[in-house]
Amino acid sequence: RFHTGEYWIWEVAMGALQHKGTRMMMVVVGCLQNFLAGGVIFGWAAISATMMGSTDGGPGIDSRFLHKMFVVASSINFLSPLFLGIILDRYGPRACSCVSMGCVTIGFLVFGASSHDMGYMFGLSLISFGGPGVQNAIIHLSNLFPASKSTIISIITGCFQLSFSIFYFFEQLWFNYGVSYRTLFIGYAVISALSFFASAVLWPDSPYDFDSQVSNSSPGTMQMMRPATKQPPAGSWGSGTMNRRATMLVR
């Protein structure tokens, strides 16, 4: 059954995306998410030496187990896009980003609250698992700026690489300000949780799609895919409106 309210919300979203500032805000939020969680695991070396210490708030993890943790977590990182990609295809960017940020949030929380080796490994594995999905869920935002699509993709990729420095900042806070690893990881879980809620509010259920056929005659035209589950019946209110609003010009 067609619900006009859902398509009214869809039209409001389409109208908002006509404003360049709104689209820029969404790209900035996506890049910030990617910086906060996308590739955090690859900066593990910056904090691994500190994790071996049992003094000054360190967990005192054995060096051999510490390396084992990284091997397991990095392997999971390379495998997780297979599962998160299925979620992205079937349920869209919002679900993929929420699942990914949820894993990262729980991972930091588990690591910060744990007091044994397997808890540390489980937490780090969750952080590693969610990272790739954060980036995959926002790649489609490049279609909000068709004329600068490659530039936006490069910025998103750059933010992923910048996320390698997160654990370096942890290290600096640890040594220079005496912040314990528990405080760092649990505090970062709070930040990740805020990012999770941003995903739930901002990201669409269907990716923004660049209509290349329309763009051949009208450069810079972007199409937002309609909700896939509920379409207005022919001749009903909203069907003509949706067709007229299905494409919009972004400059």
Side-chain angles (χ1 to χ4, degrees), residues 35-49:
F35 168 69
L36 291 174
V40 174
I41 183 61
F42 297 109
W44 180 248
I47 201 173
S48 59

Side-chain angles (χ1 to χ4, degrees), residues 20 23-24 27 139-156 210 219-222 250-251:
K20 186 175 181 179
R23 290 180 278 121
M24 289 183 65
V27 172
I139 288 293
H140 71 104
L141 295 179
S142 62
N143 290 323
L144 293 175
F145 294 90
S148 305
K149 182 174 181 178
S150 297
T151 302
I152 300 299
I153 292 176
S154 298
I155 293 173
I156 291 173
F210 181 64
T221 301
M222 188 274 297
V250 292
R251 303 182 186 277

Side-chain angles (χ1 to χ4, degrees), residues 156-192:
I156 291 173
T157 305
C159 290
F160 179 86
Q161 295 170 339
L162 284 174
S163 67
F164 300 177
S165 63
I166 294 296
F167 281 139
Y168 170 78
F169 296 137
F170 277 27
E171 181 86 354
Q172 296 305 306
L173 289 172
W174 194 322
F175 275 107
N176 296 330
Y177 298 97
V179 183
S180 69
Y181 84 95
R182 292 188 185 276
T183 302
L184 288 169
F185 278 82
I186 294 177
Y188 204 80
V190 175
I191 297 174
S192 300

Side-chain angles (χ1 to χ4, degrees), residues 53-108:
S54 58
T55 58
D56 300 325
I61 303 174
D62 179 73
S63 60
R64 293 183 62 184
F65 190 81
L66 197 71
H67 294 305
K68 182 180 179 180
M69 284 172 54
F70 178 75
V71 171
V72 171
S74 59
S75 298
I76 291 174
N77 182 268
F78 289 115
L79 291 173
S80 66
L82 173 63
F83 302 99
L84 295 173
I86 294 174
I87 295 176
L88 182 60
D89 286 337
R90 290 180 62 88
Y91 303 105
R94 188 201 308 270
C96 180
S97 184
C98 286
V99 169
S100 300
M101 287 306 310
C103 287
V104 173
T105 300
I106 295 172
F108 274 101

